[in-house]
């Protein structure tokens, strides 16, 4: 079997290498083989490289071939455009006949369905004719040298340099041709960049001049900085926004003019900002707001005569039915009679009204009467009920299984913009028994919940609290849920209740969550074999058995997320995210008599938990990005917990979003070693809970071709437990250490217990969906004896290394 694998791999290499990139080129054609950029010293080299329109195909090192080109050429070989053209003509003829029938007489249901099918098929054929078949869309064609495109790239580089202060810069290129290959070198002569010496504003309107002068500290044009055309564009936009936030409704950027005066001797520029007057008036008009009109149009003409009118807080309401809370709606309107027009308030009003999820659309228009604006807000109600059903497959451990989910959404439940949500999910999966029985067993899971979301903070209630917090999209969620899990080893049930507050800043840079109550009643039934296994593990120091005790777990928690520069959008700019989470469990038990707890048959817990999660995304080039994540967590039980946490509150290391060279929740704690199998490898069937977690993940992502991306990653970290007073003394014998002590956090050895994993990843990025597969390889394993923990070399001694050294992770989306 091993020989067959190597033979197949060798044949694959021969096939790919046989697809030479230069094979089949016509006379005078040259493959773009190498592109260089020379002479760049002070300008942005990455931005200049992005202007190069012809870049070499991604090649396999040491081979004159490319996987992407091989796929594309195979697609060309199998693609028959004539076949698709003929089929398109037949479908178009059929579509014309149906359209003619529709014009003469209305189509019946079957004919209308057929017409829609024809339109879909014709669109699919047109896509194939434009982009080719699957292999052509997945791969990429050979890049053939084109002098016109190269000249255009050179010209764009000169434009870029000129617009970024290098007014005297020149760009040229030279091409070396040999063996059907073209090597292009772009030559940049930058000269000295021009520095902004002065920046001043001219305006005949003293009010505008004073307004700009007052906000001059926010300017994008900095004295003594290199001249950049993009800063002038940003400044023009800033001025327009500033004017529209201070009553200048009709002002636009077309009234802003910039004059740049160069000093070629000193290499400096003087920038003049000129605010021109309007064509048909002496000055720019400042507008104030009149009474506000808010209307909810009926969903159809059948309800046109059921409208009602009312005035609340100077807002004229006209709704087709009196079933909406004017108090709630007015709290999301940030315009008032007599105020200056402010575009930010208009946009925020539109956004917050949309956040209520009551309306299909929210449009805001203005009637102009002299220097007065009369705002008119037009909306239409959203559908009262929304039902969503999903059927699919999911996988957690071994064999994928089907699931069904159902959700119901009821809007405006109590006529106060409340939203009722009901959720139900049931699924089956194949799992491996933790008791060591062979085969794959069925796991059943069911969970359901009902929640009501209020568009305000229920408590505390204060005067004008709705208006004060309306800009922050306040929500109060009350939820009650039930969860049921049936595995071969146990049946586990839980009932939970949650009351939470959620809000965010207007720019979404900060998001806040406060769970004032999170209560859970949990009970379990164990199989005899599994219970015996848990008792044996408890004697070894693994407290997995505690999660199956009948228990009551309550906590208060808070979370804040700081999102810098829209992290998660993965645009071309640097972005980062910081998430802080704090939780206090069983706090109310501090005020309860201990005898109350002793008389109850339930287990109670008291604990404190903190977690900090920082993520960073850094573009390097157009084709490469670097991303990393640092994750630190601490959970400390106290009081009645007796050194034990609820199982769900423990930290776990390993998995597709953690240390990827270890299976999910199987790394650690510390240098604790799992049981050893007969072949000498570790038995990773059991999860490893811990009190302390540290993870660092570093990933270099590169574009391969098409929608295929690659990644090289290094993960490091581990988990540990606290040492408690009732622990056994540490065994001083290094040849026979206490397994429980090896999992404790000790300052003098924790840094020696950092696990390290590395590997490669393949991602298919479809914009709307990212499919991911990562291959993690253990490099440093803290479960082994000191001096034997570096095991990366074992990976190269045998295929995929020793047993358990290589772990494959499949997921959806990026790991962080």
């Amino acid at each position: 079997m091993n020989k067959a694998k190597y033979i197949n791999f060798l044949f694959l290499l021969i096939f790919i290498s046989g697809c030479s990139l230069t094979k089949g080129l016509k006379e005078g054609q040259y493959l773009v083989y190498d592109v260089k950029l020379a002479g760049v010293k002070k300008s942005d080299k990455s931005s200049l490289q992005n202007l190069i329109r012809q870049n070499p195909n991604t090649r396999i090192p040491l081979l004159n071939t490319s996987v992407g080109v091989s796929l594309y050429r195979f697609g060309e070989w199998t693609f028959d455009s004539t076949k698709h053209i003929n089929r398109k003509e037949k479908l178009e003829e059929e579509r014309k006949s149906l359209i003619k029938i529709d014009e003469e007489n209305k189509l019946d249901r079957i004919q209308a369905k057929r017409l829609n099918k024809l339109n879909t098929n014709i669109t699919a054929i047109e896509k194939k004719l434009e982009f080719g078949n699957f292999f052509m869309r997945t791969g990429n064609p050979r890049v053939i040298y084109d002098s016109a495109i190269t000249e255009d790239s050179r010209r764009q580089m000169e434009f870029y340099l000129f617009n970024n202060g290098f007014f005297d810069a020149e760009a040229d290129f030279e091409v070396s041709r040999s063996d059907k290959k073209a090597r292009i070198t772009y030559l940049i002569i930058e000269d000295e960049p021009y520095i902004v010496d002065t920046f001043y504003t001219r305006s005949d309107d003293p009010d505008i001049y004073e307004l700009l002068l007052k906000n001059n500290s926010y300017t994008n044009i900095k004295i003594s900085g290199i001249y950049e055309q993009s800063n002038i564009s940003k400044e023009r936009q800033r001025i327009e926004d500033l004017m529209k936030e201070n009553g200048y409704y009709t002002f636009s950027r077309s009234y802003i003019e910039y004059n740049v005066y160069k000093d070629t001797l000193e290499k400096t520029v003087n920038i003049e900002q000129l605010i021109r007057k309007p064509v048909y008036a002496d000055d720019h008009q400042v507008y104030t707001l009149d009474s506000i009109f808010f209307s909810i149009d009926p969903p159809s003409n059948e309800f046109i005569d059921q409208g009602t009118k009312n005035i609340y807080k100077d807002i004229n309401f006209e709704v087709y039915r009196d079933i909406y809370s004017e108090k709630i709606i007015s709290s999301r309107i940030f315009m008032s009679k007599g105020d200056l027009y402010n575009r930010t308030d208009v946009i925020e009003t539109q956004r917050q009204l949309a956040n209520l999820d009551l309306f299909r659309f929210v449009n805001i228009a203005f009637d102009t009467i002299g220097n007065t604006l009369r705002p008119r807000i037009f909306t239409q109600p959203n559908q009262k009920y929304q039902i969503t059903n999903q059927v699919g497959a999911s996988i957690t451990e071994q064999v994928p299984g089907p699931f069904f989910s159902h959700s119901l959404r009821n809007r405006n439940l109590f006529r106060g913009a409340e939203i009722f949500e009901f959720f139900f999910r049931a699924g089956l999966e194949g799992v491996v028994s933790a008791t060591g029985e062979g085969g794959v067993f069925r796991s059943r899971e069911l969970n359901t919940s009902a929640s009501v979301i209020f568009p305000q903070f229920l408590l505390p209630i204060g005067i004008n609290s709705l208006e004060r917090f309306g800009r922050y999209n306040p929500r109060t969620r009350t939820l009650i849920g039930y969860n049921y899990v049936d595995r071969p080893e146990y049946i586990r049930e839980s009932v939970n209740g949650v009351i939470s507050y959620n809000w965010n800043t207007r720019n979404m840079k900060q998001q806040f969550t406060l769970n004032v109550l999170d209560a859970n009643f949990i009970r379990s039934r164990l199989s005899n074999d599994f219970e015996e296994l848990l008792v044996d593990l408890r004697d070894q120091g693994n407290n997995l058995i505690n999660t199956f005790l009948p228990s009551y777990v309550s906590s208060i928690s808070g979370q804040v997320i700081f999102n810098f520069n829209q992290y998660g959008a993965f645009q071309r700019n640097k972005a980062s995210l910081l998430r802080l989470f704090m939780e206090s469990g069983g706090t109310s038990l501090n005020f309860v008599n201990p005898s109350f707890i002793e008389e109850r048959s339930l287990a109670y817990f008291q604990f404190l938990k903190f977690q900090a999660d920082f993520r960073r995304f850094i573009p390097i080039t157009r084709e490469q990005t670097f991303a990393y994540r640092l994750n630190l967590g601490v959970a400390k039980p106290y009081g009645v917990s007796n050194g034990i946490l609820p199982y769900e509150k423990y930290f776990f290391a390993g998995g597709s979003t953690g240390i990827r060279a270890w299976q999910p929740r199987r790394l650690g704690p510390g240098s604790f070693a799992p049981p050893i199998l007969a072949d000498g490898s570790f038995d990773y069937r059991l999860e490893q809970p811990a009190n302390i977690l540290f993870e660092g993940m570093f990933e270099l992502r590169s574009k391969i071709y098409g929608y295929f991306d690659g990644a090289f990653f290094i993960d490091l970290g581990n988990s540990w437990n606290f040492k408690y007073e009732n622990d056994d003394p540490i065994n001083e014998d290094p040849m026979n250490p206490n397994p429980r002590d090896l999992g404790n956090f000790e300052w003098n050895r924790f840094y020696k217990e950092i696990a390290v994993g590395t590997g490669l990843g393949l991602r298919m990025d479809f914009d709307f969906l990212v499919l991911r597969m990562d291959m993690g390889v253990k490099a440093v394993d803290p479960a082994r004896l000191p001096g034997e923990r570096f095991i990366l070399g074992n990976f190269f001694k045998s295929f995929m290394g020793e047993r358990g050294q290589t772990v494959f992770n499949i997921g959806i989306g990026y790991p962080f």
Side-chain angles (χ1 to χ4, degrees):
M1 289 296 293
N2 288 335
K3 289 183 179 179
K5 291 179 181 178
Y6 288 120
I7 292 173
N8 291 335
F9 181 69
L10 182 60
F11 274 119
L12 178 63
L13 285 179
I14 294 173
F15 168 75
I16 294 176
S17 61
C19 301
S20 173
L21 289 173
T22 55
K23 184 178 181 180
L25 289 178
K26 298 178 181 178
E27 184 68 27
Q29 285 187 331
Y30 294 89
L31 177 79
V32 176
Y33 195 78
D34 188 28
V35 176
K36 294 181 180 179
L37 187 62
V40 179
K41 298 178 181 178
K42 295 183 180 181
S43 56
D44 189 343
K45 188 173 183 178
S46 176
S47 297
L48 288 169
Q49 287 175 330
N50 290 337
L51 298 174
I52 300 174
R53 293 179 54 190
Q54 284 195 307
N55 287 285
N57 296 106
T58 302
R59 301 188 300 271
I60 298 176
L62 304 179
L63 298 176
N64 183 29
T65 188
S66 166
V67 176
V69 173
S70 299
L71 286 173
Y72 186 86
R73 294 171 72 176
F74 178 78
E76 280 187 316
W77 180 55
T78 58
F79 183 67
D80 185 358
S81 60
T82 305
K83 173 184 173 183
H84 295 293
I85 292 173
N86 293 336
R87 184 165 181 264
K88 179 186 175 184
E89 291 175 352
K90 291 181 180 179
L91 294 178
E92 286 179 338
E93 287 295 326
E94 185 179 355
R95 182 173 65 174
K96 286 179 182 179
S97 63
L98 288 176
I99 292 175
K100 186 176 181 180
I101 295 173
D102 189 33
E103 292 174 350
E104 297 174 354
N105 189 15
K106 189 176 181 180
L107 297 174
D108 58 30
R109 185 177 62 84
I110 297 177
Q111 290 174 326
K113 187 176 180 180
R114 177 58 182 169
L115 180 60
N116 291 333
K117 178 95 171 172
L118 287 171
N119 290 329
T120 302
N121 290 340
I122 291 173
T123 301
I125 293 174
E126 290 174 345
K127 181 180 178 182
K128 286 184 178 180
L129 289 173
E130 182 178 1
F131 301 105
N133 55 23
F134 170 80
F135 296 101
M136 296 172 70
R137 295 194 301 270
T138 304
N140 42 42
R142 289 182 294 186
V143 181
I144 308 300
Y145 171 71
D146 189 323
S147 59
I149 296 177
T150 304
E151 170 61 24
D152 183 66
S153 298
R154 182 205 66 80
R155 188 166 53 250
Q156 292 299 325
M157 288 182 184
E158 277 195 352
F159 289 158
Y160 173 84
L161 291 167
F162 185 88
N163 290 332
N164 286 272
F166 296 88
F167 296 133
D168 303 323
E170 296 179 3
D172 200 355
F173 65 89
E174 58 183 26
V175 183
S176 172
R177 301 176 180 87
S178 63
D179 300 327
K180 290 292 184 177
K181 301 173 185 177
R183 293 172 172 83
I184 309 171
T185 302
Y186 290 91
L187 306 172
I188 305 298
I189 302 175
E190 292 178 338
D191 210 333
E192 290 298 319
Y194 280 66
I195 306 300
V196 178
D197 184 48
T198 58
F199 172 59
Y200 57 93
T201 301
R202 283 179 49 201
S203 174
D204 294 334
D205 190 323
D207 293 332
I208 293 179
Y209 183 81
E210 184 179 351
L211 176 63
L212 298 181
L213 189 63
K214 183 180 178 181
N215 293 271
N216 193 51
S217 60
Y218 302 103
T219 181
N220 293 289
I221 301 175
K222 304 299 182 182
I223 304 299
S224 301
I226 297 177
Y227 170 85
E228 293 183 30
Q229 183 67 33
S230 60
N231 287 340
I232 289 184
S233 300
K234 293 177 184 177
E235 183 67 9
R236 180 180 274 113
Q237 182 63 54
R238 186 187 74 87
I239 297 301
E240 181 186 14
D241 294 341
L242 178 64
M243 299 290 285
K244 287 186 176 293
E245 289 174 1
N246 287 272
Y248 293 91
Y249 173 68
T250 58
F251 189 88
S252 70
R253 68 184 71 185
S254 62
Y255 293 109
I256 309 172
E257 181 181 309
Y258 290 93
N259 297 311
V260 180
Y261 304 99
K262 294 193 300 181
D263 185 336
T264 57
L265 184 62
E266 298 293 334
K267 300 288 185 180
T268 60
V269 295
N270 299 321
I271 303 176
E272 177 189 56
Q273 180 176 257
L274 178 63
I275 309 299
R276 295 191 288 106
K277 291 183 178 181
V279 178
Y280 302 106
D282 294 332
D283 296 304
H284 291 282
Q285 188 70 52
V286 177
Y287 291 83
T288 57
L289 301 182
D290 197 358
S291 298
I292 300 169
F293 288 81
F294 182 93
S295 65
I296 303 178
D297 298 332
S300 67
N301 293 331
E302 298 178 4
F303 305 95
I304 197 71
D305 57 347
Q306 299 184 19
T308 62
K309 296 183 180 181
N310 191 23
I311 298 177
Y312 181 82
K313 290 192 174 182
D314 289 330
I315 301 176
N316 298 275
F317 285 89
E318 184 175 344
V319 299
Y320 85 100
R321 277 184 179 177
D322 188 19
I323 59 174
Y324 297 94
S325 171
E326 296 164 351
K327 184 178 180 182
I328 295 294
I329 293 175
S330 65
S331 70
R332 303 300 175 98
I333 297 176
F334 311 113
M335 300 177 288
S336 301
K337 183 178 180 179
D339 288 350
L340 290 178
Y341 166 79
N342 188 316
R343 185 169 65 176
T344 300
D345 289 342
V346 176
I347 295 173
E348 192 62 23
T349 296
Q350 192 172 26
R351 180 185 295 116
Q352 293 299 343
L353 287 173
N355 285 337
L356 291 175
D357 196 28
L358 294 178
F359 312 111
R360 293 183 180 179
F361 61 84
V362 178
N363 294 330
I364 302 178
F366 294 91
D367 295 334
T368 306
I369 307 172
N371 64 344
T372 302
L373 297 175
R374 179 170 293 171
R376 293 186 177 274
I377 306 174
F378 302 97
T379 66
Q380 192 176 75
N382 214 334
Q383 57 184 349
K384 173 70 173 174
Y385 298 99
Q386 179 178 337
I387 297 176
T388 304
N389 295 313
Q390 289 184 333
V391 177
S394 62
I395 179 171
T396 304
E397 293 187 27
Q398 291 290 325
V399 180
F403 75 86
F404 168 76
S405 68
H406 167 83
S407 65
L408 168 67
R409 193 174 181 89
N410 182 352
R411 297 180 173 91
N412 203 29
L413 180 64
F414 304 124
R415 299 191 176 188
E418 305 89 357
I419 294 177
F420 170 79
E421 290 182 341
F422 172 80
F423 178 78
F424 171 84
R425 186 183 188 278
L428 296 173
E429 285 188 28
V431 298
V432 176
S433 173
T435 58
E437 302 176 55
V440 177
F441 296 85
R442 183 178 62 186
S443 171
R444 292 177 291 185
E445 184 176 350
L446 181 149
N447 57 73
T448 183
S449 65
S451 62
V452 178
I453 304 171
F454 300 87
Q456 59 180 310
F457 295 143
L458 294 184
L459 293 173
I461 299 176
I463 301 175
N464 298 325
S465 61
L466 274 176
E467 288 75 12
R468 191 183 315 123
F469 300 117
R471 291 180 180 270
Y472 303 101
N473 191 24
R475 288 148 292 158
T476 301
R477 175 188 288 269
T478 59
L479 177 145
I480 183 169
Y482 170 78
N483 295 278
Y484 173 87
V485 177
D486 182 359
R487 289 177 55 110
E489 308 90 354
Y490 61 81
I491 296 176
R492 186 172 176 84
E493 297 175 280
S494 67
V495 177
N496 67 308
V498 177
I499 300 177
S500 65
Y501 289 168
N502 301 272
W503 69 100
N504 52 259
T505 56
R506 288 189 295 176
N507 54 16
M508 294 297 292
K509 287 185 177 180
Q510 292 92 37
Q511 301 175 48
F512 304 90
T513 300
L514 176 63
N515 293 320
V516 295
L517 174 65
D518 186 352
N520 299 266
F521 289 93
I522 304 171
R523 69 174 185 178
S524 305
R525 283 176 286 172
L526 309 179
S527 69
N528 294 331
D529 293 340
F530 188 56
E531 187 172 9
E532 292 178 3
L533 176 62
L534 293 177
V535 171
D536 183 54
L537 290 173
R538 182 181 59 188
D539 296 338
Q540 300 177 31
N542 189 319
N543 55 9
L544 182 64
I545 193 172
N546 295 305
T547 191
F548 299 101
L549 297 175
S551 58
Y552 170 72
V553 181
S554 66
S555 67
I556 300 172
S557 63
Q559 175 178 277
V560 57
I561 297 176
F562 300 94
N563 194 327
F564 305 97
N565 205 18
Q566 297 181 334
Y567 181 90
F570 295 112
Q571 67 279 33
R572 294 298 175 186
N573 301 319
K574 295 180 181 179
S576 56
L577 180 141
L578 174 63
R579 183 179 69 89
L580 301 176
F581 174 80
M582 291 158 285
E583 184 176 17
S584 175
T587 308
S588 59
L589 298 178
N590 293 316
F591 309 100
V592 175
N593 192 307
S595 60
F596 172 83
I597 300 174
E598 295 172 359
E599 294 172 358
R600 300 298 187 273
S601 58
L602 294 174
Y604 293 87
F605 300 91
Q606 289 179 290
F607 59 92
L608 297 173
K609 186 175 183 178
F610 171 79
Q611 187 173 6
D613 185 351
F614 180 75
R615 308 177 183 199
R616 181 76 167 160
F617 173 83
I618 306 173
I620 301 175
T621 66
R622 185 174 56 182
E623 305 293 335
Q624 284 190 328
T625 58
F626 178 69
Y628 66 90
R629 177 191 181 199
L630 300 175
N631 185 24
L632 174 66
V634 179
K636 176 75 172 178
Y638 71 95
V640 299
S641 290
N642 194 28
I644 298 170
L645 286 170
Y647 198 69
E648 291 78 8
K649 304 301 178 181
Y650 279 105
F651 292 108
F652 297 88
S656 62
T657 59
I659 315 299
R660 283 164 280 187
W662 274 261
Q663 296 175 0
R665 304 160 76 98
R666 264 61 176 186
L667 172 60
S671 53
F672 174 81
I676 298 177
L677 298 173
D679 61 357
S681 62
F682 288 128
D683 183 359
Y684 286 110
R685 285 179 301 162
L686 302 176
E687 298 178 348
Q688 302 297 335
N691 301 120
I692 303 171
L693 174 70
F694 169 70
E695 292 178 323
M697 283 116 357
F698 306 87
E699 186 168 281
L700 179 64
R701 302 167 182 169
S702 302
K703 194 79 175 175
I704 300 178
Y705 55 86
Y707 41 71
F708 283 95
D709 296 342
F712 169 73
F713 60 85
I714 297 177
D715 303 331
L716 55 90
N718 205 338
S719 62
W720 295 268
N721 286 318
F722 286 114
K723 183 180 184 301
Y724 298 100
E725 294 181 358
N726 59 348
D727 280 357
D728 296 331
I730 297 179
N731 194 324
E732 299 293 342
D733 184 3
M735 301 303 295
N736 187 25
N738 188 324
R740 185 174 183 181
D741 293 334
L742 293 177
N744 291 339
F745 181 86
E746 299 288 346
W747 286 103
N748 62 349
R749 75 162 193 261
F750 83 92
Y751 58 91
K752 302 177 184 178
E753 299 172 336
I754 299 292
V756 179
T758 186
L760 301 174
L762 180 66
R763 288 84 193 270
M764 298 179 68
D765 190 347
F766 301 102
D767 292 333
F768 63 92
L769 175 68
V770 176
L771 300 179
R772 169 171 56 92
M773 184 177 73
D774 293 327
M775 181 188 74
V777 179
K778 296 178 178 64
V780 178
D781 188 355
R784 300 172 185 264
L785 294 176
E788 301 177 3
R789 293 175 176 172
F790 184 79
I791 60 172
L792 183 60
N794 298 342
F795 176 78
F796 302 99
K797 294 179 181 179
S798 61
F799 185 70
M800 294 297 177
E802 60 186 51
R803 179 176 177 180
Q805 186 175 3
T806 303
V807 175
F808 288 92
N809 298 279
I810 298 176
I812 297 177
Y814 288 99
F816 52 88

